[in-house]
Each structure stands twice: as C-alpha cells, then as structure tokens.
C-alpha cells in the first residue's frame, strides 16, 4: 500500500463494518489477518479476522471498502493496473 504514493494515489476508507465476537482484556495481543476480497475499478473490499494471539480465539471480523483517489485532484480514480494484477 505504500507504493500508492509513488503512483499519485491515496486510499480513502469509505465504509467500515465490524462484528465483535469476544471481549479482550487490557494488554492482550491481537493478530490481524487481512486479505483482498474484491477489486472493482475504483474501490476494493478488504476483509479482516482478528484473533487473540495467546488463545487463537476469533474476537472480531471486519471489512473495509476503500476508494482509490487521485492525490492531485482528490477525485476518485481507477485502481492502478499493478494493484489489479497483484490481486487477481
């Protein structure tokens, strides 16, 4: 994702959904697994699973939809071809 800057593109979160399954305690360590679920021309959907590192218990599931935005104009733009090819 850091490469988007060199391409003149910013990622803007346009939607977040979180389903909490279990509680954590202060000081617990969390593992986050992330994958690309869907790539559209100007957005992508990312899915996450969060687990308690000590127990492996799933504590939350989440998705974020991000839009590709031109760093110059601030307007939506198409996903870079490099990104599309990397995740197909």
């Amino acid at each position: 994702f850091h490469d988007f800057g060199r391409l003149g593109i910013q990622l803007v979160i346009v939607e977040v959904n979180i389903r909490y399954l279990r509680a954590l305690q202060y000081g617990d360590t969390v593992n986050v697994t992330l994958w690309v679920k869907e790539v559209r021309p100007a957005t992508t959907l990312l899915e996450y699973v969060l687990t308690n590192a000590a127990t492996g218990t799933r504590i939350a599931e989440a998705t974020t939809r991000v839009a590709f935005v031109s760093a110059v104009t601030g307007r939506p733009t198409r996903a870079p071809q490099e990104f599309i090819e990397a995740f197909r």
Side-chain angles (χ1 to χ4, degrees), residues 3-76:
D3 288 339
F4 288 119
R6 75 174 168 78
L7 298 172
I9 294 175
Q10 299 174 334
L11 294 177
V12 176
I13 296 173
V14 296
E15 181 180 338
V16 175
N17 293 292
I18 302 173
R19 182 173 166 224
Y20 295 99
L21 304 170
R22 302 270 188 282
L24 288 171
Q25 300 297 315
Y26 181 76
D28 285 350
T29 301
V30 177
N31 289 330
V32 179
T33 303
L34 160 73
W35 63 94
V36 176
K37 174 73 174 183
E38 168 186 285
V39 178
R40 293 190 175 187
T43 66
T44 190
L45 182 65
L46 306 173
E47 287 195 353
Y48 309 79
V49 171
L50 290 76
T51 56
N52 183 311
T55 66
T57 303
R58 188 178 284 210
I59 56 169
E61 302 165 341
T63 62
T64 56
R65 181 163 304 277
V66 295
F68 300 95
V69 175
S70 167
V72 175
T73 66
R75 298 182 52 83

